[in-house]
Amino acid sequence: MNSPKQTETDATPLDQAARAAWLYYVGGKTQDQIARELGISRQRAQRLVSKAVAEGLIHFRLEHTLSTCLELEAALTRKFGLKLSRVAPSLGDGVDPSLSIASLTAVEMERVLASPSPIVMALGTGRTLRSAVEAMQGMHCEHHKLVSLNGNISPDGSASHYDVIMRIADKVHAPHFPMPLPVVAATAKERDMFHALLPIQRTMELAESADVAFVGIGQMDDSAPMLKDGFLSNRDLAAMQEAGAVGEIVGWIYDESGRYYNFGPNLRAAGVRVEIAEGKRVVAVAAGTAKVTALRAAISGNLVNGLITDEATAAELLS
């Protein structure tokens, strides 16, 4: 789906300048590509990027919220009853949408961690969350606690490349509690043995009590991240697809109604099953056409009550 285009009548000058700068600095697009994307001349695209810099709208982050993004946020909140909706400008076809939402997620994480009252923040793993943490600014948050929702051990025994708990702890200087477990255990018995360990029990209890959680959403088609990362076999994936699986959160697989399965790989999932308790915010961080079905199911099943995504994905969810 192409990113939304605006005309001179429905976009403010700052809106257009911010969008042009976003495409240039974050999307890595040339001025010719920006001109085609926005339906303007190359010269105007150049002037808009210059204006954004002069106005201080972007410093590798967008400091101006586009009106179209605000409208989509309001529409998502109304339609799905979300506690939090954040929409980043789309970067257009051919660009990984996680580049767009990573910086927006970083800003939201920083906002949460700016709280003067102690909180517990729980985190999933994955490519998008890792990019978000890398985009965060340094902070000193010794009064907060960070805890992982799932394991950080890959099938070959190495630390997962997409674990985020250590990276964010370095950025914000907060006490952190990793989950020294495989994402999916070899057997249910092995998973139960891990869970019987007292330090694991304490970490899981802390994760379950978190005030806010940020999680990625994994699709369950043939491009499933759990398959790519070796946590599911082709046989496992085919069986879950046959059962109607559409998505997963921290290794827990669910159907199109947002219900977790009680069989298959879920019997070996080693991390915390994400559920919304009273007063808790669970924020899904995902964008792209491949994520839409999984996102819609997670939202409708009340597995998440917050969303950070991009314009194109928001529009598909609302259609």
Side-chain angles (χ1 to χ4, degrees), residues 99-175:
L99 295 174
S100 181
I101 64 173
S103 60
L104 191 61
T105 304
V107 170
E108 187 60 29
M109 287 181 173
E110 290 168 7
R111 186 193 66 77
V112 171
L113 291 171
S115 168
S117 301
I119 63 163
V120 177
M121 176 189 284
L123 296 152
T125 58
R127 295 161 178 79
T128 304
L129 284 175
R130 185 189 69 170
S131 297
V133 169
E134 289 173 350
M136 291 180 67
Q137 298 178 350
M139 303 176 71
H140 286 274
C141 304
E142 292 84 355
H143 56 306
H144 299 320
K145 292 179 180 178
L146 307 171
V147 61
S148 183
L149 287 163
N150 59 331
N152 63 349
I153 300 176
S154 296
D156 64 0
S158 63
S160 171
H161 183 61
Y162 299 110
D163 185 50
V164 301
I165 195 73
M166 308 302 277
R167 285 180 171 87
I168 191 171
D170 286 342
K171 280 286 185 81
V172 304
H173 305 283

Side-chain angles (χ1 to χ4, degrees), residues 28 183 190:
V183 175
E190 179 182 276

